[in-house]
Structure formats: C-alpha cells, structure tokens
C-alpha cells in the first residue's frame, strides 16, 4: 500500500470556497466550461484570452450547462500543468506516478476519470522536449504551459493543496520523462519522414477512406457538410490570403475527419494536392521551420490538435 492517501482539502491558505481549487488559479481570467471535456463556453476560440472567462462566471455557466470548469494554460501565465494519465492500473496509483507528484510538490488533484492525476506548478514547458512521454509502469505523462486546458476537479491528492514555484524541478522531471526533440542549428532543412513523429494509429482508416467518406457526406443532403474540404484537398486556397492559411484550414478539417489521429492527418496531407505544390521544389511540409527541429507540418498538426476537440463520430466507408 502506498504511503500516499487521497484527501479532499478545503479552506486552506491557498484554497477558497470549499471546492479545492487553488485561489491563485481563480485570480486569473483563464477559464472555460466543458461538457465531456469538450469546450462549450466558449465553444470555439477558447485559446484566445479575450474569450476566456473569470472563474466565478465559468462556475455559474458550468452549473447552468451541467458542465465542468477548466483552466487554460497561456503563454503569458506562470503555470505549467502535468497530466499523468492512466496511472492507476490495479486500483492504486503507480509508484512512478506518485514519485513525480512527490518531486513536484505542488497542487495535485485526481482527474475526473479517477485513474489520472493533475499537477500544477509555476514553471515552463521546455522546447527541448516533446509534450508527451510514456511512463515505464503504466500510462503516460503530458506537460503543457500554453494552448491547453485541464478540467479541474478540486479532488486534492495527499494534501498537495498549494500551487508552488518549482522551475528547477519542473525542468528536471521533463529531463527524466519526456523524449527530446531533434535539434537543428538552422531552418529550411528537409527532415526525413522517418524522423517525424506523430501520435496516431487510433483508427485503421486510410487516407482514401477518409476522402471517400467526406465525399459521401458532401453528396448527402441530410448532412451539413459543404465541399470546401475536398477543394482544399485538391490544392485550392479557397480565397484565403495565403497558402499557409489554407494549409491550416485544411488541417483543421483533417482533425475532424481523421478523429484527431495525427498520423492519419499527416498521411492525408501527403496524398493531397497541397503537398509538394511548388514545382521542382521539395515539399514545404517537410521543411524544418523551427529551432527545436519541428517541421512546418509537425507544427501545424500540433497546433490544431491542441486547439480543437470536435471529431467525426461516424463510420468510414468500407475499403474498396
């Protein structure tokens, strides 16, 4: 039996209102309302600070909508979130997960699933590492300090009630548990496809199945789906100011139709008319555009996946 115990703390120095959520988080107007972890107030544009809510307003809307409050991590804010997911395989949290909690020594709560833990501290997510890393015992760790939100429960774990400033430990935990990004000293370099990594294979669909499914929905009057996504697929910019903005619009559509599967999104883009649109030049999609080694394509997919949640819930057409 672990020495750690679940406790519900309230009315401590850093918590007010009896809900367990630290008051220092409530002081920031960085809240939204979710239902089943999907944003509903606001339903879109939640990553923009002008659309985020004060805590009390989010709390009131959550009650009205039978939803949950969620805290948004922002680039300008001091907070970083650690999401330990699927770390309770046999009814108890793993020693590895609890070791991370103990090292961070900051606000910790049990997630809404009951099988994960959230830790929030002051510090930064390092550009030297990817956001997600697998844990050796069970589950995985994700770390974010912007463009992401945590649905907070207030179910404080083992007395970790206060958000603490832990910049050194925050960095050390990332050193130990997150995979490094490939480093480049210049941009414009072509990064081999084999070195590009995406979370995926959540579905077994092929790009052709995705395309044919979209076509089937466009042709069916009962579905509110227009043909823009297919025109973007063929390479049209659809009157957007730049090809880059059209690329972003297309990838947002792919997020929906690929059910958030990053690898499938990448596969679809590569067989579309948008890939390799510049004659006799190497595809921009595979060019390193960032000092951390990310390609143009990796960054677009990462940004879209961090800021979108609605996905296709139907079935793909059968393979031909």
């Amino acid at each position: 039996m672990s020495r750690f115990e679940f406790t519900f703390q309230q009315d401590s120095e850093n918590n007010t209102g009896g809900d367990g959520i630290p008051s220092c988080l409530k002081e920031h107007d960085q809240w939204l309302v979710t239902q089943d972890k999907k944003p509903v107030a606001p339903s879109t544009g939640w990553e923009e600070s002008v659309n985020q809510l004060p805590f009390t307003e989010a709390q009131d809307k959550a009650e009205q909508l039978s939803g949950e409050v969620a805290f948004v991590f922002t680039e300008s804010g001091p907070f970083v979130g650690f999401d330990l997911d699927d770390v309770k395989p046999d009814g108890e949290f793993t020693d590895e997960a609890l070791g991370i909690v103990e090292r961070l020594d900051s606000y910790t709560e049990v997630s809404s699933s009951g099988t994960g833990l959230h830790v929030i501290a002051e510090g930064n997510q390092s550009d030297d590492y990817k956001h997600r890393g697998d844990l050796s015992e069970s589950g995985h760790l994700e770390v974010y300090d912007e463009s992401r939100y945590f649905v907070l429960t207030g179910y404080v774990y083992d007395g970790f009630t206060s958000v603490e400033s832990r910049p050194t430990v925050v960095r050390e935990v990332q050193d130990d548990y997150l995979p490094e990004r490939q480093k480049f000293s210049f941009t414009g370099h072509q990064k081999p496809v084999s070195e590009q990594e995406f979370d995926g294979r959540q579905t077994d669909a092929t790009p052709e199945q995705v395309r044919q499914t979209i076509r089937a929905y466009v042709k069916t009057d009962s579905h509110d789906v227009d043909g823009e996504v297919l025109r973007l697929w063929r390479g049209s910019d659809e009157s957007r100011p730049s090809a880059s903005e059209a690329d972003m619009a297309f990838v947002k559509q792919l997020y929906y139709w690929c059910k958030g599967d990053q690898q499938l999104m990448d596969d679809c883009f590569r067989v579309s008319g948008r890939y390799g649109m510049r004659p006799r030049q190497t595809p921009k999609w595979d060019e390193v555009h960032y000092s951390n080694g990310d390609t143009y394509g990796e960054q677009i997919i990462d940004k879209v996946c961090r800021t979108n949640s609605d996905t296709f819930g139907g079935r793909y057409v059968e393979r031909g």
Side-chain angles (χ1 to χ4, degrees), residues 24 28 78-80 106 120-124 163-168 170:
C24 66
H28 293 261
F79 305 110
V80 59
S106 190
I120 299 178
E122 291 188 13
N124 297 299
V163 176
E164 304 290 349
S165 179
R166 302 279 189 243
T168 301
V170 162

Side-chain angles (χ1 to χ4, degrees), residues 246-295:
D247 287 344
M248 178 64 76
F250 180 48
V251 174
K252 287 180 179 179
Q253 292 273 14
L254 289 180
Y255 179 88
Y256 176 83
W257 290 105
C258 296
K259 302 183 179 182
D261 188 317
Q262 294 183 17
Q263 187 61 62
L264 183 57
M265 292 163 65
D266 181 65
D267 292 344
C268 287
F269 195 98
R270 291 179 185 282
V271 299
S272 77
R274 310 204 64 79
Y275 183 75
M277 289 178 64
R278 298 176 297 174
R280 298 181 299 279
Q281 294 187 44
T282 52
K284 178 182 179 181
W285 189 251
D286 295 322
E287 284 184 357
V288 174
H289 276 222
Y290 302 87
S291 60
N292 64 8
D294 276 358
T295 63

Side-chain angles (χ1 to χ4, degrees), residues 20-310:
I21 297 175
S23 58
C24 66
L25 299 181
K26 296 177 183 179
E27 293 168 359
H28 293 261
D29 296 344
Q30 297 171 209
W31 295 87
L32 55 87
V33 179
T34 67
Q35 290 177 336
D36 296 326
K37 296 187 178 181
K38 293 183 179 181
V40 293
S43 58
T44 60
W46 59 265
E47 64 275 12
E48 302 293 335
S49 60
V50 294
N51 296 325
Q52 293 161 16
L53 307 173
F55 176 77
T56 53
E57 184 177 347
Q59 193 174 45
D60 290 343
K61 286 183 179 291
E63 291 179 3
Q64 296 167 10
L65 299 171
S66 298
E68 314 89 21
V69 294
F71 181 78
V72 183
F73 296 93
T74 65
E75 184 178 7
S76 60
F79 305 110
V80 59
F82 290 75
D83 185 7
L84 295 139
D85 200 20
D86 294 327
V87 292
K88 196 177 183 182
D90 300 312
E92 290 192 16
F93 292 112
T94 64
D95 289 339
E96 184 178 29
L98 297 181
I100 293 172
V101 168
E102 186 175 19
R103 287 175 66 182
L104 291 169
D105 191 20
S106 190
Y107 175 74
T108 303
E109 65 169 32
V110 179
S111 66
S112 56
S113 69
T115 62
L117 296 164
H118 295 149
V119 183
I120 299 178
E122 291 188 13
N124 297 299
Q125 196 275 329
S126 172
D127 289 337
D128 294 337
Y129 298 97
K130 298 182 179 180
H131 288 285
R132 171 174 167 151
D134 291 332
L135 298 175
S136 60
E137 292 185 23
S138 178
H140 62 268
L141 170 68
E142 296 182 44
V143 182
Y144 298 98
D145 64 358
E146 62 174 299
S147 302
R148 196 75 169 199
Y149 59 82
F150 280 4
V151 176
L152 297 188
T153 64
Y155 296 133
V156 177
Y157 190 80
D158 199 47
F160 291 102
T161 60
S162 302
V163 176
E164 304 290 349
S165 179
R166 302 279 189 243
T168 301
V169 177
V170 162
R171 175 59 188 242
E172 290 173 351
V173 170
Q174 293 175 78
D175 288 345
D176 292 343
Y177 291 98
L178 298 182
E180 286 190 39
R181 294 181 184 270
Q182 186 176 2
K183 295 181 176 62
F184 288 80
S185 58
F186 58 92
T187 60
H189 175 80
Q190 285 288 304
K191 188 175 181 180
V193 177
S194 61
E195 295 180 7
Q196 300 181 38
E197 296 183 19
F198 298 99
D199 294 336
R201 292 303 172 229
Q202 301 160 0
T203 71
D204 60 359
T206 66
E208 182 59 20
Q209 280 183 282
V210 174
R211 189 175 71 86
Q212 292 296 341
T213 300
I214 297 171
R215 288 185 63 189
Y217 272 73
V218 169
K219 291 179 179 179
T220 304
D221 293 337
S222 60
H223 297 290
D224 186 20
V225 179
D226 64 34
E228 182 187 56
V229 60
L230 293 176
R231 295 190 293 273
L232 288 166
W233 193 305
R234 290 193 293 269
S236 170
D237 288 347
E238 289 295 283
S239 301
R240 286 177 171 77
S242 68
S244 295
E245 290 178 70
D247 287 344
M248 178 64 76
F250 180 48
V251 174
K252 287 180 179 179
Q253 292 273 14
L254 289 180
Y255 179 88
Y256 176 83
W257 290 105
C258 296
K259 302 183 179 182
D261 188 317
Q262 294 183 17
Q263 187 61 62
L264 183 57
M265 292 163 65
D266 181 65
D267 292 344
C268 287
F269 195 98
R270 291 179 185 282
V271 299
S272 77
R274 310 204 64 79
Y275 183 75
M277 289 178 64
R278 298 176 297 174
R280 298 181 299 279
Q281 294 187 44
T282 52
K284 178 182 179 181
W285 189 251
D286 295 322
E287 284 184 357
V288 174
H289 276 222
Y290 302 87
S291 60
N292 64 8
D294 276 358
T295 63
Y296 171 77
E298 285 176 310
Q299 275 285 331
I300 288 182
I301 287 179
D302 179 67
K303 182 174 182 179
V304 166
C305 288
R306 286 190 284 115
T307 56
N308 289 268
S309 59
D310 192 25

